[in-house]
Amino acid sequence: IVSWNSLLSTLVSNGKYPESLLLFEKMGREGIDLDEVTVVNLLQMCKYSADPIQCKSVHGHVLRRAMESNPLVLNSLLDVYARCNVIDSAWSLFSGLERKDVVSWSTMLVGFTNCGRPDEALVLYRSMVEAEVIPNAVTILNLINACSLLSEQKSKWAHGIAIRKSFAEEVSVGTAILDMYAKCGLIESAKKAFNQIRDKNIISWSAMITAYGMNGLTHDALALHAQLKLHGPKPN
RNA sequence: CUCUAGAAA
């Protein structure tokens, strides 16, 4: 089963969607028992093909095999529902969870944001705090993204949270903050956020460069690009 | 030896 799973996993991560489906059917024919790893791999493939029907059928397997206790399975399922235009299914699954971890909450947060309901993402964040779940860098990142769609006020509020939890100098969070300000046209704030990032990577640099570009500061964009070539990080 | 959420373009 482990070798089947690892084969399936490589197919899925290379985007070989039809091939993985074939492999899956073959597993069925050979009488291989699906375990939770198989299911998670299948869900990954559903999410790249954004296929709610497939997703339902995998959900069926989950129920049939009593895998509802595996958080990895549930969280992947949640994620797939959340991005297959069936946010409501995601929500009802989420509400039914007895044990929600940071990943469940964060997944739900992105779900709302991607569905164009960032206000509900904020409401969700508040419930998360009430539930005393500790947010991590990913959570904050998603919160920032939600706020960047709302208002400048909310954005600053989210930035404040990032600072209070000392996530502001984390690369990924810092880059999100930078980008958020860039989209509001607050180029100075974006620049400050950029400078506060500890270990800038390619993504932070290119975010800053396009930030200048978006605000018509072509000269600064080019200057930064030159600096990047001098002492910027290597692509990774 | 296999599995879940996250940032720029």
Side-chain angles (χ1 to χ4, degrees), chain A residues 124-182:
Chain A
L124 190 71
Y125 177 76
R126 296 207 177 90
S127 335
M128 175 174 174
V129 174
E130 276 171 27
E132 292 178 336
V133 176
I134 311 295
N136 63 15
V138 178
T139 321
I140 300 299
L141 191 69
N142 296 148
L143 182 67
I144 289 170
N145 275 329
C147 290
S148 71
L149 300 175
L150 289 166
S151 63
E152 200 178 304
Q153 252 83 42
K154 293 293 180 192
S155 301
K156 288 183 172 156
W157 169 78
H159 188 182
I161 296 190
I163 293 174
R164 233 173 297 136
K165 311 262 181 202
S166 49
F167 283 126
E169 42 178 61
E170 186 94 5
V171 241
S172 52
V173 177
T175 307
I177 296 173
L178 183 174
D179 184 55
M180 170 182 86
Y181 281 133

Side-chain angles (χ1 to χ4, degrees), chain A residues 202-215:
Chain A
I202 291 289
I203 299 185
S204 349
W205 282 83
S206 64
M208 193 62 226
I209 293 172
T210 59
Y212 280 135
M214 284 188 316
N215 292 36

Side-chain angles (χ1 to χ4, degrees), chain A residues 1-2 5 27 33-40 65 67 73:
Chain A
I1 180 73
V2 169
N5 282 341
M27 287 174 78
D33 271 334
L34 308 182
D35 66 0
E36 31 282 284
V37 179
T38 321
V39 166
V40 172
R65 304 201 171 244
M67 291 173 176
V73 170

Side-chain angles (χ1 to χ4, degrees), chain A residues 3-16 20 41:
Chain A
S3 31
W4 288 91
N5 282 341
S6 65
L7 187 52
L8 187 57
S9 143
T10 38
L11 286 180
V12 171
S13 47
N14 290 329
K16 308 281 186 198
S20 22
N41 282 141

